[in-house]
Amino acid sequence: MEKNIFYEELLNLPSVEILDIKIDTNIITIECQVKQIGAICPNCGETIFTVNQYYHRTIRDLNMGIRHVHLLVKVRQFYCKSCNRYFTETLDFADLNKEFTHRQSDYMFCLARKQCYTEVAAIVDVSAKTIERIVLDICRKTIDIPERYRQVKRLGIDEHSHRKGKKDYLCILTDLDRGIIIDILPNRKKETLIAHFKQLGIDFCNQITDVSCDYWDAYITTSKLCFPNAKIILDRFHVTKLLNNVLDAFRKELRKADRDNTNYKRLKWILYKQYHALSDQQLDDLDAAFKDSPMLKKIYHIREKFHHILDNTDTVENAIIAINNWVEELAKKEVTLFDGFVKTLQNTKEYIANYVENYLSNAVTEGLNNLIRSVRRTAFGMSNFENLKLRVLAISS
Ligand SMILES: [Zn+2]
C-alpha cells in the first residue's frame, strides 16, 4: 500500500487511486480508479451511487523514464433511477473516448510547435497521423475565432504566397494592436473578402477604425465598401518598395553600361536604406557611386525626400500638400523614372498620407509571415488549408 502512495505522488493525478502496477521492459501499466465514491448524473445533477458495471479504458500518459505509461482506468457506469438512464463517469485528466491524457496531448502539441509531425511521432512512438489529429484537436479547442474578431479595431490585410512561384495567395487578417493573426482566408479575391466581412456582421464592420494594406486593389475596394468608419492606410513598406524598385532598375542599367566600375558593386542594399541609417563605410561607397553617376544621386535624393514626408509630417492634409509638392518638383527636375509611381499616386495619395497620423503599418504581419512559413514546414506533406489555418491561429494568440 505504501508503494502505491509513492506511485500516486509520482503520477500526480489526485483524482485517482492506484490499484496495481505492472512494470515491463518498455511499458509501465498503472491500474487505477477514481477516488470519488459517487458521480453526478449529467441529466438531473443528482449524485448517484449505484454502479451498473465496470469496464477498463487504456489511456496513454507521460512517460516515466524511457518507459511508456499506460493508465488502465477502471471506469464505472452508473445508473440513475430517477432518470432511468445509464451514464459513464468523466475523468478530469482525459476526455471521453480519447486514448491520451490531457497532459500527454499537451506534450505532443508542444513538441509539434517546432518539429514536423513525423519527428514528433518518432519521439513519442505513435503515428504521424495521430500527432496531426491531436494537434488539430487542441487547436480547435484553444482558438476562439469570433472572440478574436470582437476586439479588432485596427485591421491589417496582407497576403502570404501559399506555393512558391504560383499566383496562389492566402489572405492574412491581423489585429495590428495585438500583433496577432485573427484569421486566414483561402485567397485574396475581392468576392471572398467582401463575402467574409459581410457575414461577420455590421457591428464588426463599423468597429474598424483603420485598415492597413498593400496596393492590391481588392483590399482597397473591399475596405471602402465594408468599413464605413475606417481610414485606409497603404503600408509604408509597400509604398517605398515602389520607389526602391526605381532606384534598383537604374542601378542595374548602370552596371550593365559599365561592368568594370567597382563603385556600382554592392550598391543594391545600400540604396534601399535611408540615408540616416547608413554606416560610414556605406556612406563612402554611396558617395563614390554618386560621383560617377550624378543621376543616381539625384534619384536617391528624390526617394529620400519622399521618406522625409512620411517621417516628418504631422497631419494628413500637410502630407498630401507635401506629396503634391514632391510631384511638382519632380516635374521641374525632368526626371521621368518615377512616372509610374506618380501615376499610382493619383488614386492612392490619400491612403499614403493617412500613414502620418499614427504611423500604422503592417510590419507585424510581415513578421507573422515567418510564423506561417514555419508552420508549413512542420506540417509538411499533411497540411491542407484548414489545417494550416488552425495551427497558425493556435500559435498566434
Ligand atoms: Zn439523473
Side-chain angles (χ1 to χ4, degrees), residues 62 100-110 134 138:
L62 295 171
F100 299 101
T101 58
H102 293 144
R103 59 192 188 187
Q104 174 67 20
S105 302
D106 289 344
Y107 172 63
M108 294 189 279
F109 180 75
C110 283
I134 299 283
I138 293 183

Side-chain angles (χ1 to χ4, degrees), residues 41-46 48 80-85 87:
C41 167
N43 196 43
C44 65
E46 293 271 324
I48 308 300
C80 174
K81 229 188 239 163
S82 8
C83 301
N84 190 22
R85 262 175 73 143
F87 68 92

